Amino acid sequence: MKKPIIIGNWKMKLDYRRSMALAQELATLANPVDTSDNDVVVCPSHSSFLLVSEILKNSGVQMGVQDIFWEDNGAFTGCESPKFLSEAGCKYAIIGHSERRQNLGETDAVVHRKIKGALDNGIVPVLCVGETLAERQQGMADNIIFTQVTKALSGIDLVSSEELIIAYEPVWVIGSGRPIDPEEAERAFRIIYQAVVDLWPLTIAQTNVRIIYGGSIDASDFRDFSALDHFSGFLIGGASLKGEEFWEIIKGI
Ligand code: PGA
């Protein structure tokens, strides 16, 4: 396994007070061994980003956001500049989460621009891909995953100083309380790996890209994924809101 990365996606679930309380809990739990063996990232809401970042600044836990815009600067009301975020200490950006694709109509073309905007500003994109239940039932899952990765990344040259995370998140599993069967996750990882190898030189695919899983992971089932081919970590929603459980996963991965 490459160096594991565990990313907490706090979604729009915590106001700034609860975000600060969770950050305090993580700052207490964090220790240098866990945060050097693993990359640990939290993605609070924008309204809490700086407060959380201040609390976690010496903890080894890194900061990410749940979305980003592609332009650095300009008349783009309500958008979050990757340049400004980078200056504020943001290291990672979740891009193309299914909740944004579904609720805000984000297309693969939009996702592509955001990936580029993040990379241009030294932010590591966390590209989310995954099929809906209907797509799976129609036998389209493999094709959807391959297409989402390819459309998001075609035309981007990942260079050796850059990194990318791709999170396989089956849409129908997110928040359901049960992760997908590990064998099914591994099948998706292989498809993602293939798409990446088709786009970029092998050394870049092998060294600069990590593939992770997201969807109802908690402390009871994360171990089932550790031995899978191409697996390098988790994107965690619900269980990342419970400090001790989140840290149990980090220690045990
Ligand atoms: P979940 O969310 O762990 O609560 O299923 C994961 C995600 O949406 O990133």
Side-chain angles (χ1 to χ4, degrees):
M1 201 198 306
K2 293 174 189 165
K3 185 180 187 185
I5 180 163
I6 304 94
I7 304 170
N9 175 9
W10 294 2
K11 307 196 179 185
M12 202 178 72
K13 299 233 175 160
L14 304 179
D15 61 18
Y16 81 89
R17 289 184 196 85
R18 290 176 66 209
S19 299
M20 286 172 75
L22 180 54
Q24 291 286 5
E25 192 183 351
L26 294 178
T28 310
L29 289 164
N31 70 65
V33 176
D34 297 337
T35 53
S36 60
D37 286 353
N38 306 291
D39 284 320
V40 181
V41 182
V42 294
C43 303
S45 53
H46 289 303
S47 56
S48 305
F49 182 89
L50 285 175
L51 294 166
V52 169
S53 151
E54 183 60 25
I55 293 167
L56 292 173
K57 72 177 176 216
N58 297 318
S59 69
V61 177
Q62 304 173 70
M63 294 300 300
V65 288
Q66 300 170 22
D67 180 47
I68 207 163
F69 194 56
W70 55 81
E71 295 287 346
D72 288 354
N73 192 306
F76 302 105
T77 303
C79 299
E80 291 288 342
S81 154
K83 180 167 185 285
F84 300 171
L85 283 166
S86 175
E87 287 166 1
C90 174
K91 303 277 184 243
Y92 294 85
I94 298 172
I95 296 176
H97 192 283
S98 60
E99 286 153 14
R100 295 193 61 87
R101 292 183 194 254
Q102 288 185 330
N103 296 325
L104 292 136
E106 278 196 10
T107 61
D108 291 322
V110 163
V111 169
H112 171 83
R113 296 182 82 175
K114 291 184 172 185
I115 301 257
K116 220 175 157 318
L119 288 170
D120 288 348
N121 286 284
I123 293 175
V124 178
V126 181
L127 165 63
C128 297
V129 299
E131 79 287 358
T132 63
L133 185 59
E135 287 161 348
R136 174 160 278 261
Q137 287 168 338
Q138 287 161 33
M140 291 162 56
D142 295 2
N143 190 32
I144 292 288
I145 296 162
F146 191 86
T147 305
Q148 285 180 345
V149 174
T150 306
K151 286 195 172 165
L153 302 179
S154 289
I156 291 175
D157 275 328
L158 200 73
V159 296
S160 59
S161 58
E162 292 173 335
E163 261 191 85
L164 173 77
I165 315 287
I166 305 179
Y168 170 54
E169 295 210 306
V171 178
W172 49 284
V173 170
I174 292 173
S176 70
R178 249 196 95 200
I180 199 169
D181 284 346
E183 300 71 40
E184 286 299 306
E186 190 172 52
R187 177 191 170 95
F189 297 161
R190 290 211 176 99
I191 293 165
I192 292 168
Y193 179 76
Q194 185 64 62
V196 170
V197 162
D198 287 351
L199 286 170
W200 295 324
L202 191 57
T203 50
I204 294 284
Q206 287 179 336
T207 315
N208 300 56
V209 180
R210 283 181 284 184
I211 302 173
I212 65 175
Y213 170 78
S216 293
I217 278 295
D218 63 26
S220 68
D221 43 35
F222 74 93
R223 287 183 181 81
D224 302 343
F225 289 76
S226 303
L228 301 179
D229 266 0
H230 304 299
F231 168 80
S232 297
F234 294 114
L235 177 55
I236 304 177
S240 74
L241 306 180
K242 301 170 203 149
E244 288 197 359
E245 183 163 7
F246 186 56
W247 216 268
E248 194 180 329
I249 299 171
I250 291 160
K251 279 199 305 206
I253 195 171

